[in-house]
Amino acid sequence: MDKREFRERLNQARRIVIKIGSGVISNNGSVDKNTLKSIVEDIANLKNRKKQILIVSSGAVASGMGIMGVKKRPDNIVNLQALASLGQPELINIYKELFEGFGIKTSQILITVDDIQNRRRFINAKNTLLTLLKWDILPIINENDTVVIKELRFGDNDNLSYHILNLIEADALVILSTIDGLYTKNPQDSKAQFIEAIDETVNFEDNGKSLLGSGGIKTKIEAGLNAAKLGKLACIINGKTPNAIKQLFNDSEFRFSYFIPKTHTINSKKSWIINCMPAGVVVIDEGAEKNILNNKSLLPSGIKKVYGGFGRGDVINIENEEGDLVAKGITNYDSSEIERIKQQHSNEIVNILGYKYSNDVVHIDNMALTKYHSEE
Ligand SMILES: Nc1ncnc2c1ncn2[C@@H]1O[C@H](COP(=O)(O)OP(=O)(O)O)[C@@H](O)[C@H]1O
Ligand SMILES: N[C@@H](CCC(=O)OP(=O)(O)O)C(=O)O
């Protein structure tokens, strides 16, 4: 897909996630209201064109630093959480005031990895966001920095914005950063070359992030490639450029990097499964692997071993005896139940457990084939 086609499709996109990085929001230790004004104006124009917009905004920590007069982003997680708690309401108020100038109502959503990984909470968050969009409200999303513990953090909002894109089944992800796209090496280096179209074969040197950012260019590339795997449009633009979003949509000369979307894609549920942290592992025999690759569910008879203590409804890895990850899926039985029914015929489940949820341990509709997936 060339740049012209990308921009044509982007102009047709109906639901768009716009991610705004910390470096864009902040200006020498305080919120850069001029830049935000220009972004808000452009978003208001997109809404006038009947596009549904969701913002994923960083900047809580940067805004808290401004309030406290802290010059260097702390490494200590407790200090970061306290600064985020201080900065988030300030940030959301600035957005609220700016959008009100265009008659646009905003709402705040603070989300954690848990809310995305747990299928019920994922669906719940999705329903809330869909309702807000139906009411023509512009949701402004950030990670719930003040409560998340280190192991359960997204950390960077690039990955969070990809998960929101998937959750809400949006058409496009526009990442606003402090740079106009991807370079082969340090953008300050005169030998660095601009990479306009990105796919999974891309080669680049990551030269570290800006003073305020968490993810750097690497997480933007991860998020964009994941979006492209779903067949979605994704791009990186320089959010510091005045009216950057307007230029992206209207000016064919505007410079930005985009990700080439895949044509063979998987659906939102399967993509959620693929991206979920597994709660455990089942090891399957050759026959079960063949069945799965032929689009059949995983029965207890094909399971040889169980690892980890997981519950019914968790996502588990399904591995073959060589240790290859064949698939990931939502399990109908917990680990202790599978331990008892493994290598048994489905007719025996009731006799062994005294009850039965289903003949299969993982139904094919709740399974994503990783081997097949990575070959796409
Ligand atoms: N190869 C590269 N191409 C583009 N940008 C890069 C590269 N290596 C490092 N960077 C830096 O990544 C930074 C953007 O990431 P980050 O600071 O996390 O921004 P944000 O706050 O927008 O998320 C830019 O300041 C840029 O200098
Ligand atoms: N949730 C954090 C943002 C994390 C962060 O800095 O992200 P990014 O600038 O997108 O790399 C905050 O609001 O400060």
Side-chain angles (χ1 to χ4, degrees), residues 19-23 57-62 73 84 88 91 142-143 145 153 155-158 212-216 219-220:
K19 188 259 166 172
I20 310 174
S22 302
S57 178
S58 305
V61 173
R73 188 184 163 100
Q88 179 67 23
L91 184 64
N142 196 355
E143 183 162 18
D145 293 308
R153 288 185 79 218
D156 65 273
N157 273 352
D158 301 313
L212 289 164
S214 313
T219 50
K220 289 169 195 29

Side-chain angles (χ1 to χ4, degrees), residues 15 54 111 115-116 118 121-130 141 160-170 230 268 271-272:
R15 188 174 289 164
L54 299 98
I111 206 161
D115 300 319
I116 302 277
N118 177 295
R121 283 160 75 170
F122 176 93
I123 302 282
N124 190 47
K126 178 174 182 167
N127 288 338
T128 308
L129 285 170
L130 285 176
I141 305 157
L160 173 62
S161 61
Y162 156 71
H163 283 287
I164 296 294
L165 174 89
N166 183 38
L167 180 134
I168 201 72
E169 294 175 48
L230 297 179
S268 165
S271 156
W272 174 83

Side-chain angles (χ1 to χ4, degrees), residues 164-219:
I164 296 294
L165 174 89
N166 183 38
L167 180 134
I168 201 72
E169 294 175 48
D171 307 306
L173 170 63
V174 178
I175 299 177
L176 271 61
S177 188
T178 45
I179 190 92
D180 51 3
L182 179 64
Y183 287 78
T184 47
K185 52 167 82 176
N186 181 359
Q188 317 295 342
D189 187 328
S190 59
K191 291 203 189 98
Q193 283 166 11
F194 186 69
I195 306 177
E196 188 176 78
I198 307 170
D199 68 12
E200 62 284 351
T201 63
V202 70
N203 266 319
F204 66 96
E205 278 172 30
D206 179 4
N207 191 56
K209 53 202 184 225
S210 63
L211 289 176
L212 289 164
S214 313
I217 198 71
K218 200 166 144 254
T219 50

Side-chain angles (χ1 to χ4, degrees), residues 82 85 241 262 276 312 314 356:
S85 158
T241 306
K262 293 271 170 215
C276 221
R312 172 171 149 81
D314 282 346
K356 178 163 86 174

